[in-house]
Amino acid sequence: MKVYKFGGASVRSAEGIKNIADIVSKETENLFIIISAMGKTTNAMEIVLENFMKADRQAALNKLAEVEAYHSQIVAELFEQDTAGTEVLKSVFGEIKGHINTGIGDDYDRWYDCLVSYGEVISTKIISAYLNKCNVSNAWLDMRELLVTDSNYREANVRMEESQEKMEKSVDFSKSKIYIGQGFIGANTQGNPTTLGREGSDYSAAVVGNLLDAESVTIWKDVPGILNADPRLFENTVHIPEMTYLDAVELAYSGAQIIHPKTIKPLQNKEIPLYVRPFGNPEASGSVIKATVENPKEVPVLIVRKNQVLVTIRPRDFSFVLEESLPWLFTIIHKHRLKVSLIQSSAISISVGVDNTRYLEGALDELANDFKVSYNTGMELLTIRGINPDIEKETTAGREILLSQRTRRIGRFLMKEV
Ligand code: ASP
Ligand code: MG
């Protein structure tokens, strides 16, 4: 069997969903399809959640109405007179409204997972119904019943063994050749919905590939495959047909948007190749990530991780002992769920690059109890693999660089965003 994953951009319009029907109907092997929420639905559901948490139920319902209208439009184009799509909308949006009208917004992270996870529930139900209507018969699965996770809401980790048992009971390709499930979502052992981190659908696809011993996992994207840089940020990008798991992990960690950092481990464990293929051009081969690569492409790779904050901590006197301070610093980083992009130390300071998230403020407060803390927001981290003087000059000339690091092959520059 194979796993196919379609992201939000692929399913943002009726046209995209028709294209999926086309791609899937040509596949002769058994398929497990993982799908994200449509377009920018996750962002919109985050706003629904914010309003709900502020106990402004009306504002939450108004935003939800926008989300519903967007989906209704797509359903109208896909189903025309057929009522299957509108029935899906009625029941799912009815459920969400029930939560908003009666729920008490006590725990932000838990409510986030309860409400925001509906984006994927809606998209998969619509697409499953549409494929059935097109005679591409398939079975819909609720990943909140199949992927068992820990209770680390908004950033949950899948428990592989427990999930495996559930998957094996529910997935039987002799009954259905195609299964459809949601990316990004699961549930803890109490059955509370959890989410796996923003852009986590790739991770879901990799986990499902691992659990079902897939021969391959394919992520369909709106790019020709893996490129050496994001074409929205750089000109003259180069296609990279093959890449090792190791290189892919490094790229993802540095901030490459192409795959979620957690995606590689479940695949690497079973040596399952990961294909990245262009959604708009299914005939093209795209790129593949696998254990070993015969002819690695020697081209500099540029990755930009945006929305960074440079945090610097110093002792109040000269009593700084790195070995004593580091473990404590990491405890705070872990506790406040900060995502570290870079670390540098000197005799009397430690500088850490982190993603700018809603948890940062709490971490800075706690650090300030014992240290002098300063920080710069509005930064981006440029990582160049295979760095050479020309490419360095080209990408950093005229930029304000606050911190840089280099090894023989890799240069990293934390700079003010432009
Ligand atoms: N819908 C989720 C997000 O936008 C998960 C994903 O698309 O991978 O973050
Ligand atoms: Mg997405």
Side-chain angles (χ1 to χ4, degrees):
M1 60 82 59
K2 292 182 183 172
V3 176
Y4 275 4
K5 182 252 167 175
F6 296 98
S10 317
V11 295
R12 68 166 174 240
S13 64
E15 195 195 342
I17 295 166
K18 289 177 183 169
N19 191 30
I20 292 187
D22 206 43
I23 292 175
V24 169
S25 65
K26 287 185 184 130
E27 182 56 62
T28 50
E29 275 185 58
N30 297 332
L31 271 190
F32 197 110
I33 306 176
I34 289 285
I35 301 175
S36 295
M38 293 179 177
K40 301 269 176 252
T41 299
T42 304
N43 294 353
M45 289 305 290
E46 286 183 345
I47 297 172
V48 172
L49 169 88
E50 294 295 338
N51 289 314
F52 170 76
M53 291 304 295
K54 282 189 271 180
D56 190 344
R57 294 187 208 274
Q58 196 48 53
L61 291 170
N62 292 347
K63 187 69 196 177
L64 186 69
E66 283 176 29
V67 179
E68 187 168 359
Y70 162 66
H71 287 87
S72 299
Q73 165 78 30
I74 292 175
V75 161
E77 277 181 58
L78 291 175
F79 291 88
E80 293 166 356
Q81 306 312 322
D82 187 331
T83 57
T86 44
E87 275 159 29
V88 165
L89 294 184
K90 213 170 133 204
S91 88
V92 183
F93 280 95
E95 224 177 288
I96 307 173
K97 282 172 209 162
H99 285 303
I100 292 175
N101 284 323
T102 59
I104 308 287
D106 41 10
D107 178 337
Y108 183 98
D109 291 341
R110 192 171 56 79
W111 274 105
Y112 182 103
D113 287 1
C114 172
L115 292 176
V116 175
S117 57
Y118 277 106
E120 270 71 9
V121 175
I122 307 164
S123 67
T124 50
K125 284 201 167 182
I126 293 173
I127 293 166
S128 169
Y130 177 70
L131 291 181
N132 278 325
K133 172 178 144 71
C134 301
N135 297 320
V136 180
S137 75
N138 69 90
W140 180 87
L141 294 172
D142 189 337
M143 298 308 271
R144 294 169 301 184
E145 285 164 12
L146 297 182
L147 276 199
V148 183
T149 72
D150 59 17
S151 298
N152 193 22
Y153 293 112
R154 298 190 66 192
E155 201 80 46
N157 297 293
V158 177
R159 299 199 171 163
M160 298 299 272
E161 272 164 39
E162 285 150 271
S163 305
Q164 176 117 35
E165 255 174 55
K166 299 208 173 207
M167 286 288 266
E168 277 168 4
K169 275 190 205 137
S170 303
V171 177
D172 178 352
F173 286 108
S174 69
K175 294 197 178 121
S176 174
K177 277 179 62 65
I178 302 176
Y179 285 89
I180 294 187
Q182 306 75 36
F184 182 53
I185 74 175
N188 66 7
T189 41
Q190 290 101 57
N192 290 333
T194 52
T195 63
L196 312 179
R198 284 304 305 265
E199 304 302 328
S201 294
D202 293 352
Y203 174 46
S204 301
V207 164
V208 168
N210 177 303
L211 297 178
L212 297 179
D213 283 317
E215 63 170 76
S216 67
V217 172
T218 302
I219 298 181
W220 294 90
K221 284 195 85 99
D222 54 354
V223 290
I226 298 175
L227 304 175
N228 73 322
D230 184 337
R232 290 167 300 186
L233 303 177
F234 297 96
E235 287 168 11
N236 307 323
T237 52
V238 180
H239 178 225
I240 301 180
E242 302 184 303
M243 179 180 278
T244 61
Y245 293 125
L246 197 68
D247 283 348
V249 167
E250 245 187 63
L251 291 198
Y253 174 76
S254 302
Q257 300 269 302
I258 192 95
I259 36 167
H260 190 276
K262 281 184 181 170
T263 310
I264 299 300
K265 181 171 175 270
L267 300 174
Q268 188 261 338
N269 288 355
K270 290 197 172 170
E271 294 209 4
I272 299 168
L274 175 67
Y275 292 91
V276 178
R277 295 180 60 187
F279 181 65
N281 183 9
E283 314 307 325
S285 58
S287 301
V288 58
I289 298 169
K290 52 188 185 169
T292 50
V293 161
E294 249 99 86
N295 300 305
K297 194 143 192 166
E298 297 300 340
V299 7
V301 177
L302 307 170
I303 306 128
V304 178
R305 185 157 162 172
K306 292 199 178 263
N307 204 13
Q308 297 295 295
V309 181
L310 175 62
V311 179
T312 304
I313 66 164
R314 295 185 182 82
R316 296 195 188 282
D317 47 34
F318 279 147
S319 64
F320 202 64
V321 183
L322 192 63
E323 291 75 8
E324 283 172 12
S325 305
L326 268 182
W328 170 83
L329 175 65
F330 278 106
T331 307
I332 293 189
I333 284 173
H334 184 67
K335 177 173 153 198
H336 291 278
R337 301 173 166 214
L338 300 187
K339 290 268 195 311
V340 175
S341 55
L342 153 155
I343 300 176
Q344 192 149 302
S345 65
S346 78
I348 51 149
S349 72
I350 307 176
S351 297
V352 195
V354 293
D355 292 351
N356 194 355
T357 62
R358 63 188 299 275
Y359 304 113
L360 182 62
E361 205 182 305
L364 293 177
D365 281 350
E366 198 169 339
L367 286 169
N369 289 337
D370 298 286
F371 288 89
K372 277 195 255 175
V373 181
S374 57
Y375 62 95
N376 300 75
T377 55
M379 316 285 295
E380 64 184 30
L381 176 66
L382 169 68
T383 301
I384 308 176
R385 300 198 52 203
I387 189 164
N388 63 51
D390 289 343
I391 194 89
E392 176 173 350
K393 206 163 144 209
E394 203 180 299
T395 51
T396 62
R399 300 289 300 270
E400 187 184 339
I401 300 172
L402 277 84
L403 199 158
S404 63
Q405 282 182 346
R406 49 198 308 161
T407 61
R408 252 178 309 167
R409 289 194 60 215
I410 301 179
R412 315 185 76 203
F413 307 90
L414 197 62
M415 334 190 259
K416 270 248 161 283
E417 265 170 353
V418 280

